[in-house]
Amino acid sequence: MDKDKELLNYIYKNAKMGIVGIDNIKNEIEDEEFLSTIREQQKDYYEICNKVTKILLENNCDIKDVSGIAKLMTYFDAKLNTLDNKSNTNIAKMMMKGSNKGIIEIQEKLNNYEDADKKVISLAKELLRIEKRNLDNLKKFL
């Protein structure tokens, strides 16, 4: 269960960073279609977090949240990058960078945790699909 727990906590943190990133940026978005797209992405991240939380709690495992420093850095990064440019293009680029980072890290974890429980691998692959879909959905806002 140790490897499963590690991978589950990684999936949780990855999805949680998506939630935090969107929370930090959604008030800057004025375009309703773009805002709807971002909210849908956030909903997907919440669903992943809930699935992971359920598994971890069922197995009496701790949930390791994103550090306060990481949350703070994400907040300041979002505010700094939208200080003088709140365009859809700029915000979409920021969100795409986060999804790209997530894709790279999830794939790396999948490669390193091949022997994890199939249910856990399935969740990691679900998050990977979500991140790839997010990238595709954001392209039209560039």
Side-chain angles (χ1 to χ4, degrees):
M1 181 64 185
D2 282 346
K3 280 197 166 214
D4 296 337
K5 186 172 101 173
E6 287 175 21
L7 184 53
L8 283 165
N9 270 298
Y10 171 75
I11 295 166
Y12 180 86
K13 284 182 179 181
N14 185 296
K16 189 70 179 262
M17 280 305 294
I19 292 167
V20 168
I22 291 170
D23 277 342
N24 290 332
I25 206 74
K26 66 184 176 187
N27 291 334
E28 307 298 334
I29 300 171
E30 296 176 4
D31 181 285
E32 283 303 316
E33 181 185 3
F34 189 24
L35 188 57
S36 177
T37 298
I38 295 298
R39 284 185 176 142
E40 192 62 34
Q41 291 178 3
Q42 191 173 43
K43 182 179 144 199
D44 291 338
Y45 290 133
Y46 273 116
E47 287 176 12
I48 289 286
C49 284
N50 290 337
K51 289 176 184 179
V52 169
T53 298
K54 182 179 178 190
I55 294 170
L56 287 169
L57 292 177
E58 285 172 354
N59 290 285
N60 296 316
C61 297
D62 292 333
I63 300 166
K64 295 190 177 9
D65 202 354
V66 176
S67 73
I69 292 173
K71 289 178 184 178
L72 196 59
M73 288 175 54
T74 302
Y75 172 81
F76 283 119
D77 187 49
K79 296 305 173 195
L80 184 63
N81 283 311
T82 58
L83 197 58
D84 58 352
N85 186 354
K86 298 178 192 317
S87 70
N88 287 353
T89 300
N90 186 49
I91 294 171
K93 284 179 185 178
M94 288 172 48
M95 299 301 295
M96 290 174 80
K97 286 177 185 176
S99 287
N100 270 326
K101 182 178 178 186
I103 288 168
I104 291 166
E105 291 177 358
I106 296 164
Q107 188 60 61
E108 181 181 23
K109 295 294 183 192
L110 281 166
N111 293 348
N112 291 327
Y113 288 83
E114 292 174 341
D115 57 341
D117 182 86
K118 289 180 182 179
K119 193 173 186 180
V120 177
I121 294 290
S122 178
L123 269 175
K125 287 181 178 179
E126 182 180 349
L127 181 56
L128 183 60
R129 282 189 300 275
I130 288 168
E131 292 289 18
K132 287 178 179 180
R133 185 180 65 230
N134 289 351
L135 268 181
D136 287 338
N137 290 339
L138 289 167
K139 287 177 184 177
K140 68 180 173 182
F141 299 101
L142 293 176

